[in-house]
Amino acid sequence: MTERSRASQGAGKDLLVDGGAEVVEDPDLTVEALARAAAKKRPSAILVGATRTGRIVAARLAAKLRLGCLSDVYRLKVQGSSILGERDVFAGKVVAQVKADLPCVASVKVGTYPKMSEGRTGLEVEEVGSLQGGVRLVETLEKRAATTDLRSASVIVSAGRGFRTKEDLSLAEDLARALGGALGCSRPLSSDYGWLPEELHIGLTGVTVRPSLYLALGISGQLQHIAGIKESKVIAAVNTDKDAPIFQVADYGIVGDLYQVVPAILEILKS
Ligand SMILES: Cc1cc2nc3c(=O)[nH]c(=O)nc-3n(C[C@H](O)[C@H](O)[C@H](O)COP(=O)(O)OP(=O)(O)OC[C@H]3O[C@@H](n4cnc5c(N)ncnc54)[C@H](O)[C@@H]3O)c2cc1C
């Protein structure tokens, strides 16, 4: 987290909580800052992005404030003295409706609401004093090559295990570039093989995307992947297996070898 974290206050009003602390990746600092601000401001709901850190923050904050906590929710609405939300369960096959009494904490599924614009002015700032974290910053490492934010990309070319080597991913990158889009992937490519950064993995445990065009190359279309792409306007897929589940959700499909299909598309785009 940076030294400042943002909390939602009241009906859509934003509060910038200034912890004045060192820039440390310590969820406990965020929890402490938000708890202090909440004790003063008494918000009816505290919404935290359901990122890896955000989930930890939401749960610990709720425990600290002795409030209820909704996890990984979206389509939130206030009804009387409660807040209602939806939550994907069974890998997105079923949508559960969940409810908590206000006030409460909720971790909100990433990508389901537009990002708050950075550098926004006019925010109310709440100083919460200095914070003591249990984490000591030893070293700061640069993040791996900056990539486009998938949540705002209008075209995404996504690579799956149909790619045989890391080097072959240049095919997907070239196509993404030619279409003015961003590169994404299925989970095995980032989490198992380490071929691409974690933030490019799309799906239930990764990013939820909603581009105008989602092009899946060599991705089978397991439920956990589909959970992150089902809001896309158009889904297209290239797969050698005509029975691959991805074709059940795709608007357009090419049954073929991506090693032939992608160069052919690139050739057409060039000409
Ligand atoms: C709790 C949990 C959470 C998970 N969360 C996620 C998640 O968020 N996101 C995610 O993606 N996965 C997730 N998974 C993993 C998921 O279940 C699948 O294992 C994964 O999505 C499969 O990735 P894939 O489609 O790239 O690989 P595979 O399922 O192996 O599919 C590869 C596809 O490539 C095709 N192919 C092979 N060669 C070619 C070629 N030359 N040209 C064209 N097509 C070819 C094959 O026919 C096949 O359909 C999760 C799993 C669990 C248990």
Side-chain angles (χ1 to χ4, degrees):
M1 110 179 190
T2 63
E3 60 187 318
R4 295 184 148 197
S5 52
R6 220 181 254 147
S8 190
Q9 181 219 22
K13 267 171 82 187
D14 298 323
L15 174 71
L16 191 66
V17 179
D18 189 347
E22 300 251 328
V23 180
V24 183
E25 279 286 338
D26 183 354
D28 285 332
L29 282 183
T30 316
V31 170
E32 184 56 32
L34 291 173
R36 286 187 198 179
K40 256 175 130 179
K41 295 285 172 181
R42 304 201 166 273
S44 50
I46 303 173
L47 309 181
V48 182
T51 58
R52 204 173 292 182
T53 311
R55 289 186 181 113
I56 298 171
V57 167
R60 290 187 189 172
L61 182 62
K64 194 174 176 80
L65 298 175
R66 295 182 175 272
L67 297 176
C69 184
L70 298 179
S71 304
D72 285 289
V73 283
Y74 53 94
R75 289 203 197 109
L76 290 166
K77 59 178 181 232
V78 173
Q79 200 172 72
S81 60
S82 307
I83 187 162
L84 306 179
E86 292 184 5
R87 176 173 202 272
D88 292 336
V89 290
F90 300 119
K93 224 175 178 186
V94 176
V95 176
Q97 296 212 311
V98 288
K99 182 178 168 184
D101 289 337
L102 293 170
C104 79
V105 180
S107 66
V108 180
K109 197 171 174 199
V110 175
T112 52
Y113 287 98
K115 210 173 174 183
M116 287 171 91
S117 52
E118 298 293 340
R120 208 158 115 186
T121 53
L123 284 170
E124 190 184 335
V125 175
E126 179 67 31
E127 304 279 343
V128 293
S130 71
L131 299 163
Q132 294 294 319
V135 173
R136 191 168 54 89
L137 182 64
V138 179
E139 193 184 353
T140 307
L141 300 172
E142 278 295 307
K143 227 173 173 184
R144 272 209 267 166
T147 44
T148 318
D149 183 358
L150 289 174
R151 287 182 285 264
S152 57
S154 66
V155 175
I156 295 175
V157 175
S158 202
R161 271 207 294 224
F163 283 83
R164 290 192 281 267
T165 67
K166 184 180 176 186
E167 288 66 39
D168 294 349
L169 291 175
S170 60
L171 271 179
E173 275 169 325
D174 288 349
L175 186 53
R177 206 172 300 120
L179 292 170
L183 180 68
C185 66
S186 64
R187 185 165 92 156
L189 264 64
S190 59
S191 305
D192 301 343
Y193 304 165
W195 289 354
L196 288 169
E198 277 291 334
E199 62 263 29
L200 295 194
H201 126 227
I202 294 165
L204 188 68
T205 47
V207 188
T208 299
V209 296
R210 46 178 70 206
S212 300
L213 171 65
Y214 185 82
L215 177 54
L217 303 174
I219 292 179
S220 58
Q222 301 304 317
L223 284 177
Q224 294 89 354
H225 189 79
I226 302 302
I229 67 166
K230 61 187 179 194
E231 304 285 337
S232 306
K233 257 194 199 136
V234 173
I235 297 176
V238 179
N239 199 303
T240 42
D241 177 6
K242 69 172 174 39
D243 297 320
I246 190 80
F247 289 130
Q248 287 168 22
V249 294
D251 301 283
Y252 300 96
I254 299 177
V255 178
D257 184 342
L258 70 90
Y259 287 90
Q260 290 169 6
V261 175
V262 176
I265 299 175
L266 282 169
E267 203 51 48
I268 294 167
L269 290 172
K270 250 188 239 163
S271 61

